Amino acid sequence: MGEENQKEALNIANEENQEQSKSEQTSQELSTQNKEESKQTNQEADTQSQETPQAQENNQESTQKRQRAQNPFRNRNGQNRQQNGNNRGSNQKRNNNNRNNRGRATMPRAAIRMKIDSSVPPEMKKAILDNERVQKDRMEPWRKINLNSGGKVRFTPLGGLGEIGGNMAVLETETTAIIIDVGMSFPDETMHGVDILVPDFSYLHTIKDKIKGIVITHGHEDHIGAIPYLFKELKFPIYATPLVLAMIANKLDEHRLSVDKKYFRYVTKREVYEIGDLKVEWMHATHSIVDASSLAIQTPAGIIIHTADFKVDHTPVDGYTMDLHRFAYYGQKGVLCLMSDSTNSHNPGFTKSEKVVGKTFDELFEKANGRVIMSTFSSNVHRIYQAMERGVKHGRKICVIGRSMERNIETTRKLGYIDIGEEHFIEPHEIGRFRDDEILVVTTGSQGETMAALSRMATDEHRHIKLKPSDTVIISASAIPGNEASVSKLMNLLLKSGVTVRYKEFSDIHVSGHASQEEQKLILRLVQPKFFLPVHGEYNHIAKHAQTAIECGVDERNILLMSDGDQVEITPKYIKKVRTVKAGKRYIDNQSNKEIYADVVDDRQKLATEGIVNIIMQIEEQTGKLVDKPIVMAHGLIANKDKKRFEEEIVDLVVKYLEVTNIEKSAHNKVIEDEIRNIVKRFIIKKYKSYPFIIPTVFLV
């Protein structure tokens, strides 16, 4: 490490010497140029005094254009190029400079077009221009990137773009690939019987030989929830901080994959880990979970920063602020590309600190006369800790209910992230031994999940908790997009039970874990990247984040808006989309931890929206004639009062078709069923404008 530091110091010294020599050369050239400009301006002034006012105006405009063309900041290298006085040649050079600058961020127009009066002393003018050069270098540190390195990386999001959650991406070079997060997401109301969604792993199978590891940023479900399902197909080393790996271990245990803990690689923040030909550093980030990280990845093409989920919380519950120093450090070195969380890109200002929720809890606990039941995300350790801390303060015993909540609290207590003594906790069956005003229940179900503890309490199906009118239920979470209906249903059930519900009427009962616009700007300004890829969010979120980046000096031509499956190639010279790989979702039944195939979900959706028609008939095999009248049953298509008429229509249709159709004796019953299905389908579409499932069943007798 000592030799590397000495080499880096020598390199920096050489760069500074080169910059100083360049500055001196530029100053000499500028001094010569100023004299020529002054002489030329005086000559033009004498000529203009003899011309008409219109001609003087035209000549003055021409002179201003020529002076702007001679400004040293017009070309990208900051060097002064002498003009030959030929307007045509000057224009051609300006056009060439514009083409060369294509794809590069530009300085503000006011800074580029500085005009210094010829009466300013040369030493002062040199100092002004030197300061301007320093400002330019400071605002565009990515110019230090070696354009001739030949390095190339590809970035492929497989989840998390065009949606909230399900985050997963691949970063790869010619010989190495790493997976960044492997998260799950929630289904919408049309995905009947589906509990969670996991990314499609098809692309990983095609590059499995060069995947060197999985890099995890933090322990939220939308970043680690799909790991067990991936490990049932492919296994790679997992690099993460201890708490994150402890949470992943719980998931592997649940899926009977405990032996796969041998793939764990524990990391320390601010240390660099070599994974193939990539070097990865975990940088501390503040979020709505303990021990979150952003990533600094050194690639053959340049440095890539991935913020993952973050907000800039200056007063976090645990006191560990976001490591902005490392962002600035890498920004000064020159960052090729920044990938940043876009979830709250429409929110102006700053996201509030997590600590403000604790103050709201103080107020709510003081108002509560009976039991307090607090529900939030099971991984939001800081939120849970603040609630339990208030419970202890108000003399309440803490009862934790919900499998994921119990598991996460046990893990964080074991690892020392929560410091609350064992004497403050009780088991659910012990609740009856204490007065209602001595109980705090911390539970799952803030998203209205049907099988979660809070939903079962609301439907009076929970084994230990029967809600009372004296209870206060605190829902300290916001509805994830797609879960609004479930949360609304839960609220209705709770209110019908007579409890006091505390939700959105308290503005600080929940705060987001994602950065708002001013925090996004802070990261953009610290990093000052050449290229920018907004990630994590729906399309409107990443589009808004792109606008913020443009305001912060990133050239709009250096920004790409991606969707899941888009593969982007990044080099020191360009960024472009090169192809689209297979991406999508796989459906999981949480009760069995097994996949539900897409065609099954499609069938369920069609059954729910279009209905089903069953047709059962017997046909004599020798003659091809009906043995008896067909039986028709329709569900989800026709009102009960119209069913008899509809069934008679279908029977007549089938009988007439069979009377005029000669069925070969050798015909298989499947062939007959297909023909019946087609004629019934055409009839129903034409008359009823519907597309139900049609299931003919033919018995040959």
Side-chain angles (χ1 to χ4, degrees), residues 447-508:
Q447 296 302 299
E449 306 97 314
T450 304
M451 298 304 296
L454 187 58
S455 289
R456 288 187 283 120
M457 294 177 199
T459 55
D460 200 25
E461 295 175 358
H462 196 274
R463 179 180 175 186
H464 298 290
I465 304 292
K466 304 297 179 183
L467 295 180
K468 305 176 182 179
S470 59
D471 292 339
T472 297
V473 176
I474 302 172
I475 300 179
S476 184
S478 60
I480 295 173
N483 286 358
E484 293 88 353
S486 299
V487 174
S488 179
K489 180 180 178 182
L490 172 65
M491 292 285 294
N492 291 331
L493 291 171
L494 290 171
L495 290 171
K496 283 182 179 180
S497 69
V499 303
T500 299
V501 179
R502 305 295 192 187
Y503 187 36
K504 289 185 176 180
E505 69 271 22
F506 289 83
S507 60
D508 292 337

Side-chain angles (χ1 to χ4, degrees), residues 633-656:
M633 294 177 290
H635 302 280
L637 175 65
I638 299 295
N640 287 336
K641 64 184 182 65
D642 297 324
K643 272 188 178 181
K644 186 175 181 180
R645 176 179 55 80
F646 172 79
E647 291 169 359
E648 289 175 352
E649 288 177 339
I650 301 301
V651 168
D652 291 342
L653 180 68
V654 171
V655 169
K656 289 178 181 177

Side-chain angles (χ1 to χ4, degrees), residues 122-160:
E123 295 83 0
M124 181 180 292
K125 186 170 185 177
K126 176 183 178 301
I128 292 171
L129 294 175
D130 282 349
N131 275 293
E132 191 63 22
R133 176 183 57 79
V134 169
Q135 294 284 46
K136 185 177 178 67
D137 291 343
R138 179 178 68 85
M139 298 302 291
E140 297 177 348
W142 51 262
R143 291 188 182 275
K144 299 175 184 177
I145 299 169
N146 181 11
L147 294 177
N148 299 317
S149 68
K152 178 172 63 177
V153 294
R154 291 191 174 188
F155 180 73
T156 313
L158 299 175

